[in-house]
Amino acid sequence: MAADRQSPPSVYHTVPLPDSQLDFCGQPYSVSVLKVGYSLPQTDGTFRADGTISLITGPKVVLVDTGGPWDRDLLLLTLSRRGLSLGSVDWVVGTHGHSDHIGNINLFPAAALIVGYDVSQGDTYRSNGLARGHPFSLDEHVTVIPTPGHSGQDVSVQVKGTSAGTVLVSGDLFECCSDENTWRDLSMNVAVQEVSRQEALRTSDVIIPGHGLPFKVVSSCTFTELEKPLT
Amino acid sequence: MAADRQSPPSVYHTVPLPDSQLDFCGQPYSVSVLKVGYSLPQTDGTFRADGTISLITGPKVVLVDTGGPWDRDLLLLTLSRRGLSLGSVDWVVGTHGHSDHIGNINLFPAAALIVGYDVSQGDTYRSNGLARGHPFSLDEHVTVIPTPGHSGQDVSVQVKGTSAGTVLVSGDLFECCSDENTWRDLSMNVAVQEVSRQEALRTSDVIIPGHGLPFKVVSSCTFTELEKPLT
């Protein structure tokens, strides 16, 4: 399973994974979806929405997105069931500053925090290159990547070396597996987001989107691999 | 004191108010600064920053910005000292999705929530016109106004009818009273923010900025009013 393809084909396909496949084990890092986000139009013109919450465990513990404010108790319970204290979370990343993604960042006062392009620890903000398009590496396996377009200041978290290959926790860069008819309506800059999406597809084997189940990325030349189970 | 000037002069002046002037009483709404934000460059290249937290009280209770995650206990204590329960806050407005402004939105699960251009109650998101430049009125006195530029999806809250005239809680549309040399470096779109700033100056008597003390706005033709105390 080869991400960062050297000779990219022009077309990538996104393929749903089974609903039950929410964990991507690896060494040294594993990635788990704690809550699958959703976006559901209602008959009265409103829509119900929540952002996907993901957890990266290994030498460091990284929580990617914290859901909406209403997810507070769910988040506490889910982490507790995994044997994790709030203090054991080293990094909290808010992929962008929308309320359904950054609702619970105050549960982790000891963690280093990234929201969009801002990197902070307590009220101390560190200079970084995210706004200039530079990745911000937490270590050699986990990297925060600027992927602008949806809100203007968006990041994704790339985890290399899982058994499923390179996993990208993308926030709302992707809404869900089949979002071709929806993502543009939610984008602040469609052209910029399209570039971010194509780069994400080129360099990822699995993408965990902001409002849906994880999906697999295959290129046209490997499309026959579709039937292969993830190992 | 006349906001929304019909024949705007070309120049507005921003004038500091005394450090102690953090309350702007009025009928039916009063505005209070609960915590004055700051932005302080450090010798090691980092900077310490926090967003201003403001409270609007009257027929509805509106909290504008919640500070960084580290402000949780301060916010609880400050509201308690004013005799306000968390459940008595009707609206929470995050002027934009930066971590030093939206750190504690989960303290108010019963409140309606606005963060940037998103209006929600729990996980139900309401259609609104903020992204298309339309104001969102909470009632005839309090209006959420799109003021883009700083982060791309920014709002300010305008309160009419205080004893100091029209008060604008501006988030980072303005950093502080004298920010001419700093705001552009923090702006995602300088040209758009400049338009938002000029409109804010034209229609406000007092501005509560995102990282500093409230200040007064006077036009060139009323500059002699500078010495007048606020009533």
Side-chain angles (χ1 to χ4, degrees):
Chain A
M1 193 157 290
D4 202 3
R5 303 165 181 95
Q6 293 304 306
S7 303
S10 57
V11 176
Y12 299 99
H13 302 269
T14 60
V15 182
L17 290 170
D19 289 8
S20 59
Q21 186 147 13
L22 300 177
D23 295 286
F24 303 91
C25 297
Q27 283 293 339
Y29 282 101
S30 299
V31 186
S32 297
V33 176
L34 301 187
K35 180 175 184 178
V36 178
Y38 53 87
S39 182
L40 305 168
Q42 305 294 297
T43 53
D44 63 357
T46 66
F47 64 101
R48 298 188 66 188
D50 198 5
T52 298
I53 306 174
S54 302
L55 183 71
I56 301 166
T57 51
K60 293 171 181 165
V61 176
V62 185
L63 184 69
V64 187
D65 284 334
T66 63
W70 55 88
D71 285 320
R72 181 181 182 278
D73 292 344
L74 175 140
L75 191 49
L76 290 171
L77 183 65
T78 305
L79 291 172
S80 172
R81 281 183 176 159
R82 289 176 177 258
L84 289 171
S85 68
L86 298 177
S88 65
V89 176
D90 300 296
W91 288 87
V92 173
V93 179
T95 56
H96 59 294
H98 284 172
S99 50
D100 52 341
H101 293 261
I102 46 70
N104 296 290
I105 58 176
N106 64 353
L107 294 179
F108 310 93
L113 178 64
I114 298 175
V115 173
Y117 295 166
D118 290 330
V119 181
S120 59
Q121 177 94 44
D123 74 344
T124 299
Y125 284 74
R126 294 169 54 176
S127 176
N128 71 80
L130 288 166
R132 299 190 302 279
H134 301 160
F136 183 89
S137 292
L138 305 192
D139 64 19
E140 63 185 303
H141 305 279
V142 181
T143 302
V144 179
I145 299 171
T147 51
H150 173 68
S151 78
Q153 298 175 324
D154 311 84
V155 296
S156 298
V157 184
Q158 182 190 66
V159 184
K160 290 186 174 177
T162 81
S163 58
T166 296
V167 174
L168 188 75
V169 188
S170 78
D172 289 359
L173 178 64
F174 292 87
E175 294 290 315
C176 57
C177 179
S178 301
D179 66 354
E180 270 303 315
N181 294 328
T182 58
W183 72 266
R184 291 175 186 83
D185 291 341
L186 302 164
S187 179
M188 202 174 135
N189 190 321
V190 169
V192 166
Q193 188 168 344
E194 180 64 57
V195 171
S196 298
R197 284 167 64 97
Q198 287 302 315
E199 180 65 8
L201 292 169
R202 191 181 71 79
T203 55
S204 308
D205 295 300
V206 167
I207 290 177
I208 298 175
H211 294 274
L213 288 161
F215 58 85
K216 191 174 173 182
V217 183
V218 292
S219 63
S220 54
C221 59
T222 59
F223 199 52
T224 53
E225 290 182 13
L226 236 171
E227 301 308 314
K228 279 188 188 175
L230 289 173
T231 53
Chain B
M1 193 156 291
D4 201 4
R5 301 166 181 94
Q6 292 304 304
S7 303
S10 57
V11 176
Y12 298 100
H13 302 269
T14 60
V15 182
L17 290 169
D19 289 7
S20 59
Q21 186 147 13
L22 301 178
D23 295 286
F24 304 91
C25 296
Q27 282 293 339
Y29 282 101
S30 298
V31 186
S32 296
V33 176
L34 301 187
K35 180 175 184 178
V36 178
Y38 53 86
S39 182
L40 306 167
Q42 306 293 297
T43 53
D44 63 359
T46 67
F47 63 101
R48 298 188 65 188
D50 199 5
T52 298
I53 305 173
S54 301
L55 183 71
I56 301 166
T57 51
K60 292 172 181 166
V61 177
V62 185
L63 184 68
V64 187
D65 284 335
T66 62
W70 55 89
D71 285 320
R72 180 180 182 279
D73 292 345
L74 175 140
L75 191 50
L76 290 172
L77 183 65
T78 306
L79 291 172
S80 172
R81 281 184 177 158
R82 289 177 176 256
L84 289 171
S85 68
L86 298 178
S88 65
V89 177
D90 299 297
W91 288 87
V92 173
V93 179
T95 56
H96 59 295
H98 284 171
S99 50
D100 51 342
H101 293 260
I102 45 71
N104 296 291
I105 58 176
N106 63 354
L107 293 179
F108 310 93
L113 178 64
I114 298 175
V115 174
Y117 295 165
D118 290 330
V119 181
S120 57
Q121 176 93 45
D123 73 345
T124 298
Y125 284 74
R126 294 169 53 176
S127 176
N128 72 82
L130 287 166
R132 300 188 302 278
H134 301 159
F136 183 90
S137 292
L138 306 192
D139 64 18
E140 63 184 304
H141 305 280
V142 181
T143 303
V144 179
I145 298 171
T147 51
H150 173 69
S151 78
Q153 297 174 327
D154 311 84
V155 296
S156 299
V157 183
Q158 182 190 67
V159 184
K160 290 187 173 176
T162 82
S163 59
T166 296
V167 174
L168 188 75
V169 189
S170 79
D172 289 359
L173 178 64
F174 292 87
E175 294 290 315
C176 58
C177 179
S178 301
D179 66 353
E180 271 303 314
N181 295 327
T182 57
W183 72 266
R184 292 176 185 82
D185 292 340
L186 302 165
S187 178
M188 202 174 135
N189 191 321
V190 169
V192 166
Q193 190 168 344
E194 180 63 55
V195 172
S196 298
R197 284 167 63 97
Q198 287 303 315
E199 180 65 7
L201 292 169
R202 189 180 73 79
T203 55
S204 308
D205 296 299
V206 168
I207 291 176
I208 298 175
H211 295 274
L213 288 161
F215 57 86
K216 191 175 171 182
V217 183
V218 292
S219 64
S220 55
C221 58
T222 59
F223 199 52
T224 53
E225 290 182 12
L226 235 171
E227 302 307 314
K228 280 188 188 175
L230 289 174
T231 52

